[in-house]
Amino acid sequence: MTDPVGDAVSHIHDKLDTSGWFNTVTNGETKDIVGTLTALPADQADQTIDRLQQSGDLDRVADEVMDGDWFGNGGLSGDERRAFLSDMAGKLDGDSLAALSDAFARADNGGFDSVTELGDAVATHAAPQTKVDYIAAMKNGVDDASQSSYGLGYSGTQLQDAEATAVGDVLASLRGSYAEAGFNAIGDKLSDVLTSALDGQMTTIASQAGATNSITWNADSYEAIMGAAASMGNADLKAQIFDAGVHTMREVRDTNNVFGGLTVLGKDDAMRQMANGLTAIIDSDTTGVMDELTFNQSTMDGSSFAAYAKEMLNQNREGELG
């Protein structure tokens, strides 16, 4: 009796063997490993990933896929990696997708590119319930971390957490009852997701005259997440998301200086996109959402709607307030 899962696990383990002198995992062996996984039907691919995780070999697979060291020769190109992640996104369940994400995060020093590429693949290729399960499984890894890079006279900070960004992309792809389930799954980590959804980039350039700082914003993902919220039927949850969205909007609104001065790029466009997203929630059920904002203890002081209305007035959009 054949055991395709056991055979795949054994084959992958053998390809990862580096015992002996100068026995590195080659590019051909890495492609063989990926080919073995992508050739499996969905149920067998999922079982194989689970067993690789249990044995510790899943981390090694991710290491080899991402291998960019000069001495290593196993790594895949970006296109090859994205094709592999897209295949896995259409086959694995939510827990296995989160395990794969964690493996890439460990392999790539936080794994921003690979983790967010997998999130994008899940948003595009996974079934709605799988997306919800993935969000739930990823929740513990979501925070407000940032990514830093350095060069001669230069430093950059990406104000995004890899897991939060990935979850945001998946959350934005959901609609209706699945969107509601997704927002419930991320729960109190929504604020971290919304912060990362702004794609903030801060750059410092040092010169003899001193340091100059700049920050850029892009709220495409934030607006898409608000669109997912607007598609739900739950007015109470919509009001909670509106409140969280306003809190994030305030943070961008109040970003106007750091030590050494700050040049802000894209802030007006980002504020307009955020207002668009919040307006979509209000317009989707004006009476229901306004009632919840009025009577919910956390929003009944009116400060959230007041901040939103003030921003709409600043944008000369008072006609959209009704």
Side-chain angles (χ1 to χ4, degrees):
M1 184 175 181
T2 61
D3 178 13
V5 172
D7 291 344
V9 170
S10 296
H11 179 75
I12 290 170
H13 182 78
D14 290 342
K15 291 297 178 181
L16 291 169
D17 180 26
T18 56
S19 59
W21 289 96
F22 301 107
N23 183 19
T24 63
V25 178
T26 67
N27 178 262
E29 288 174 318
T30 301
K31 289 182 176 179
D32 189 319
I33 290 168
V34 168
T36 298
L37 288 168
T38 57
L40 294 169
D43 60 333
Q44 294 175 11
D46 193 79
Q47 294 175 54
T48 301
I49 291 294
D50 289 346
R51 287 177 60 174
L52 291 173
Q53 180 195 19
Q54 292 165 9
S55 69
D57 279 343
L58 187 59
D59 282 359
R60 297 191 60 206
V61 169
D63 278 334
E64 295 305 331
V65 168
M66 298 303 298
D67 185 5
D69 187 82
W70 71 271
F71 188 70
N73 57 11
L76 300 184
S77 70
D79 287 343
E80 290 169 334
R81 181 179 69 245
R82 286 185 286 273
F84 168 57
L85 296 176
S86 293
D87 184 83
M88 292 295 98
K91 291 178 176 178
L92 305 183
D93 64 23
D95 286 338
S96 296
L97 286 166
L100 185 62
S101 179
D102 289 345
F104 275 102
R106 288 188 289 268
D108 192 29
N109 190 29
F112 187 87
D113 288 342
S114 52
V115 169
T116 55
E117 286 169 357
L118 179 56
D120 182 64
V122 172
T124 304
H125 299 289
Q129 186 57 53
T130 301
K131 295 178 183 182
V132 173
D133 295 340
Y134 164 85
I135 291 170
M138 291 285 286
K139 179 180 179 179
N140 287 340
V142 169
D143 58 29
D144 60 354
S146 59
Q147 322 294 316
S148 297
S149 59
Y150 303 93
L152 182 61
Y154 160 90
S155 68
T157 301
Q158 191 167 9
L159 306 176
Q160 292 175 285
D161 172 65
E163 286 75 12
T165 301
V167 166
D169 288 342
V170 175
L171 195 54
S173 73
L174 293 169
R175 290 294 181 270
S177 61
Y178 288 111
E180 181 173 342
F183 281 107
N184 283 326
I186 198 60
D188 59 2
K189 293 294 187 73
L190 178 61
S191 61
D192 293 329
V193 171
L194 293 179
T195 296
S196 284
L198 292 172
D199 192 15
Q201 312 276 341
M202 182 175 288
T203 304
T204 300
I205 298 176
S207 68
Q208 291 182 341
T212 60
N213 303 288
S214 65
I215 189 166
T216 62
W217 303 104
N218 183 315
D220 288 350
S221 182
Y222 174 103
E223 186 176 4
I225 292 170
M226 295 298 111
S231 76
M232 304 183 309
N234 186 328
D236 178 50
L237 186 55
K238 286 183 181 184
Q240 294 176 48
I241 296 164
F242 179 90
D243 183 47
V246 170
H247 177 76
T248 304
M249 184 180 72
R250 286 192 186 106
E251 292 178 343
V252 175
R253 180 198 66 194
D254 295 340
T255 301
N256 53 27
N257 63 81
V258 295
F259 182 76
L262 180 68
T263 300
V264 179
L265 303 173
K267 180 177 177 178
D268 290 344
D269 289 340
M271 292 296 289
R272 177 167 287 276
Q273 283 186 288
M274 285 188 281
N276 289 345
L278 295 168
T279 299
I281 293 178
I282 295 291
D283 287 350
S284 68
D285 181 7
T286 303
T287 300
V289 174
M290 291 304 300
D291 282 348
E292 295 296 341
L293 289 172
T294 300
F295 296 110
N296 283 351
Q297 186 171 2
S298 61
T299 57
M300 63 190 307
D301 65 356
S303 59
S304 289
F305 188 81
Y308 159 73
K310 181 178 180 180
E311 181 56 35
M312 292 291 282
L313 293 173
N314 287 341
Q315 296 179 17
N316 298 314
R317 299 170 66 179
E318 57 271 13
E320 297 177 51
L321 291 172

